[in-house]
Amino acid sequence: MFVLETKNLFKHFNGIRAVDELSISIESGKVTSIIGPNGSGKTTLINVLSGMLEIDEGVVVIEESEKLSKIKPHEIPVLGLTRTFQNIRLFEQMSVLDNILVVLTDRHVFRAIFETHQIFHLKKAEEVLTRVGLWEKRNQLAINLSYGQRKLLEIARALAMDAKVYLLDEPFAGLFPEMVKIISGVIKELKAQGKTIVLIEHDMGLIRELSDYVFVMDSGKLLAEGKPEEVLKKKEVIEAYLGD
């Protein structure tokens, strides 16, 4: 079953086609990676799928039935989607714990601060923060975390959403090996739970290790697709992305 599809998807910026007639299908319960050179449209695609950018043309199909020509950011939890950002977005003046409780409760930052948190909210927050190694930092302000810890907190917020599909935009960028291992473990666990992961990543070692299927984008278009060991050997992929 395809949990997420794009059909002839376009996104234009001042005449430039950042996403150009893109049709891809994401299989449920798999890790699907989207790779390509800088400027190929990968993050633009994630921004469209998560409602951060409007669809110019085409549709997004959810679970082979719901066709959407418009997605709003507040709708993506209802659609079963959550995402992380290439440029980390946290509530910096809130504690690590409150950053998790916001997404577990009302999802509105000001109301969530004053909401009475149920025991199960706190238990879930402890669970996800422990999973990424941040429980001991729970009372620190997010702004005081290191870059790597901030990345881990964003992953923890995504985990707290308990979504069907996780859109992860370069979650490993700039991380030390031990943190890479934590996030790799999280992705493998999500897959084992039947979750779907869409991963943008530049490290070909991680692509080979984690991916079930790969789409290659170049100048907004689909250049190639298939299993990682097959796609990464293709001449056009090597020329466009890996260099030769």
Side-chain angles (χ1 to χ4, degrees):
M1 176 183 178
F2 296 125
V3 68
L4 183 64
E5 299 173 86
T6 68
K7 302 287 189 182
N8 300 318
L9 197 67
F10 284 89
K11 183 61 193 177
H12 308 161
F13 294 107
N14 298 321
I16 297 173
R17 295 182 174 186
V19 176
D20 189 359
E21 200 176 1
L22 187 69
S23 295
I24 62 173
S25 299
I26 307 295
E27 190 173 349
S28 178
K30 304 291 185 181
V31 178
T32 299
S33 291
I34 301 175
I35 68 172
N38 290 333
S40 60
K42 304 181 301 295
T43 294
T44 299
L45 173 61
I46 296 297
N47 286 338
V48 170
L49 293 175
S50 59
M52 302 299 294
L53 292 173
E54 292 185 359
I55 298 170
D56 288 336
E57 298 177 52
V59 296
V60 173
V61 184
I62 306 294
E63 295 184 332
E64 300 182 354
S65 59
E66 189 172 3
K67 296 183 179 180
L68 304 170
S69 58
K70 181 178 292 186
I71 302 172
K72 296 180 180 179
H74 70 270
E75 294 174 339
I76 68 166
V78 178
L79 297 173
L81 308 177
T82 190
R83 70 163 297 175
T84 64
F85 290 86
Q86 186 176 349
N87 298 314
I88 305 167
R89 299 188 182 186
L90 300 172
F91 298 113
E92 294 188 340
Q93 298 302 324
M94 293 174 61
S95 71
V96 168
L97 179 59
D98 282 339
N99 264 274
I100 302 299
L101 292 174
V102 164
V103 301
L104 284 174
T105 53
D106 188 88
R107 311 236 202 289
H108 185 286
V109 58
F110 298 111
R111 288 198 293 269
I113 290 172
F114 299 104
E115 182 173 341
T116 301
H117 300 299
Q118 302 292 332
I119 292 175
F120 68 87
H121 288 149
L122 293 169
K123 185 175 180 180
K124 179 66 175 179
E126 180 178 1
E127 176 187 321
V128 297
L129 287 173
T130 299
R131 179 63 193 86
V132 300
L134 289 180
W135 179 243
E136 298 302 319
K137 304 283 187 180
R138 63 190 179 276
N139 293 320
Q140 287 193 22
L141 293 180
I143 197 172
N144 293 331
L145 297 178
S146 69
Y147 174 81
Q149 290 168 341
R150 289 158 62 83
K151 286 278 238 184
L152 292 175
L153 179 55
E154 189 165 52
I155 294 290
R157 290 204 311 181
L159 290 176
M161 296 292 289
D162 194 26
K164 295 179 183 177
V165 180
Y166 291 79
L167 309 172
L168 306 181
D169 191 356
E170 297 193 28
F172 299 103
L175 296 185
F176 292 117
E178 60 269 25
M179 292 183 177
V180 169
K181 186 179 294 186
I182 290 173
I183 296 178
S184 294
V186 167
I187 290 173
K188 291 174 183 177
E189 288 175 11
L190 287 171
K191 178 184 172 182
Q193 294 166 12
K195 306 293 189 179
T196 303
I197 298 93
V198 179
L199 174 66
I200 293 179
E201 180 52 44
H202 287 287
D203 186 315
M204 293 300 106
L206 289 168
I207 292 297
R208 291 185 175 92
E209 176 187 349
L210 297 172
S211 306
D212 296 296
Y213 203 80
V214 174
F215 291 103
V216 185
M217 293 181 66
D218 188 26
S219 300
K221 289 183 174 291
L222 180 62
L223 179 65
E225 64 176 287
K227 295 185 178 301
E229 61 271 19
E230 299 169 354
V231 168
L232 297 179
K233 293 178 182 177
K234 292 187 176 183
K235 181 180 179 181
E236 63 268 32
V237 174
I238 294 171
E239 289 177 349
Y241 185 58
L242 301 178
D244 194 351

